[in-house]
Amino acid sequence: MMCHDCFCRMKKQRGCPWKGQLGKLEEHLLNECPFVDINCPNKCDNQLQKKDLQQHLEKDCPLRTVPCKYCSKDVRWNALEDHYQACPKYPLQCEKCKKENITREKMDEHHDKECPLMELKCPFNMVGCTFEAKRTEVNQHVKEQMASHVMDMAKKVGVLISVETSGAQAATHRSAPPPRRTRGGGMESLPQEQASQEGYFSELSTRTQHQRNEIDEMRRIMTGLTNTVHHLERQVEEARIRQERPVQELTLR
């Protein structure tokens, strides 16, 4: 009986053309028949015919994995919007200058180095300048007040160097109190005075190192500001040349 020919159970319902021995029907239904119902392997709760599984996995399944078009990371389709809220490559618009297509990971750098409308303090605020404005205005301010700022910086460095020198001299000339003689003619040690003096030298050394660090930082800032001024001067010169070129061309005509 198992050798008798039969048709697939899905022939009448869905048109499966299979015909074979009855003993092979179950194997056909389990492994071959494209018309049987199966559950999505992604567990999206959808049931579909086996023949439609590939399209479902590629285009329809809400739990299918797709690459983010910005960072190429594999993300579930139904979680793409959440991913975009944190994607480092997602393009954003600067809220201040409205420049577009700045990736999320580059936005802080744009604010720190490029955005012309970013509110900044004058880089010489450490020597007392209180000017604060948009980046373009701060750049112009630095250029116009460079001589004054450099003088303020020089005074600050001079004060720190003077303090450092005087502190070192004080440490050199300060000596420990003389030890006292005991009744037997020996020398009495003074642990309290020695400990006090050691604490003084330790504090002085720390203060001196801190002042040296401040001087090094000021020198670094001055180098950076000098480079900034040179850059601004080049930009001004290039703008002047661009403005004069059309006039020269008209004159030649």
Side-chain angles (χ1 to χ4, degrees):
M1 182 176 179
M2 299 300 290
C3 295
H4 291 174
D5 288 341
C6 66
F7 292 99
C8 176
R9 295 173 189 170
M10 297 295 167
K11 178 177 177 60
K12 291 184 178 180
Q13 297 178 6
R14 298 172 180 173
C16 179
W18 184 86
K19 179 181 179 181
Q21 295 179 355
L22 180 61
K24 296 183 178 180
L25 176 60
E26 290 301 323
E27 181 181 354
H28 164 73
L29 291 172
L30 183 63
N31 300 319
E32 300 174 359
C33 182
F35 296 96
V36 295
D37 290 330
I38 60 172
N39 294 321
C40 173
N42 289 337
K43 300 180 180 180
C44 70
D45 297 330
N46 281 318
Q47 192 175 65
L48 59 152
Q49 295 179 33
K50 183 182 289 187
K51 65 182 179 63
D52 299 326
L53 177 61
Q54 191 64 31
Q55 178 176 340
H56 172 76
L57 292 176
E58 292 178 357
K59 297 182 179 181
D60 301 326
C61 179
L63 299 182
R64 68 188 185 276
T65 299
V66 295
C68 171
K69 62 182 178 181
Y70 302 112
C71 71
S72 301
K73 180 180 179 180
D74 288 336
V75 184
R76 287 193 180 276
W77 180 84
N78 63 347
L80 264 180
E81 291 302 321
D82 291 336
H83 169 74
Y84 289 155
Q85 299 303 313
C87 177
K89 302 292 185 181
Y90 190 82
L92 301 173
Q93 182 185 56
C94 176
E95 296 179 354
K96 294 185 178 294
C97 69
K98 306 306 179 184
K99 182 178 179 180
E100 298 180 340
N101 295 321
I102 305 172
T103 60
R104 177 175 280 109
E105 65 182 359
K106 295 290 186 180
M107 186 59 73
D108 287 344
E109 181 179 352
H110 168 73
H111 286 159
D112 292 341
K113 298 181 179 180
E114 298 176 357
C115 181
L117 300 183
M118 195 70 182
E119 292 286 335
L120 301 174
K121 292 182 179 180
C122 172
F124 285 95
N125 65 86
M126 64 182 303
V127 292
C129 182
T130 59
F131 187 82
E132 185 173 353
K134 295 180 177 63
R135 173 173 271 107
T136 52
E137 297 173 11
V138 169
N139 289 341
Q140 184 64 26
H141 163 78
V142 169
K143 181 180 178 182
E144 293 175 351
Q145 301 297 323
M146 177 55 70
S148 174
H149 286 339
V150 170
M151 289 295 294
D152 293 338
M153 181 71 76
K155 291 177 182 178
K156 180 71 172 178
V157 172
V159 169
L160 290 174
I161 293 175
S162 176
V163 171
E164 179 184 3
T165 303
S166 62
Q169 290 175 347
T172 302
H173 293 300
R174 180 168 178 172
S175 59
R180 301 174 184 174
R181 290 186 177 276
T182 63
R183 293 182 179 180
M187 305 303 290
E188 179 183 3
S189 61
L190 300 175
Q192 292 183 350
E193 288 82 351
Q194 291 175 355
S196 175
Q197 188 172 16
E198 289 175 358
Y200 169 79
F201 284 130
S202 176
E203 180 183 354
L204 182 61
S205 176
T206 301
R207 189 184 310 165
T208 301
Q209 184 60 47
H210 176 70
Q211 291 167 348
R212 286 174 178 169
N213 292 341
E214 285 189 344
I215 292 172
D216 291 341
E217 178 66 12
M218 288 185 177
R219 287 171 178 163
R220 185 190 65 78
I221 292 174
M222 287 189 67
T223 300
L225 291 172
T226 300
N227 293 336
T228 300
V229 171
H230 291 164
H231 176 69
L232 291 172
E233 289 176 344
R234 287 195 299 270
Q235 287 183 328
V236 171
E237 181 63 19
E238 290 172 358
R240 184 187 64 79
I241 293 174
R242 286 195 298 269
Q243 292 174 353
E244 291 180 353
R245 187 172 297 161
V247 177
Q248 293 174 351
E249 292 176 353
L250 289 174
T251 303
L252 292 175
R253 291 178 185 176

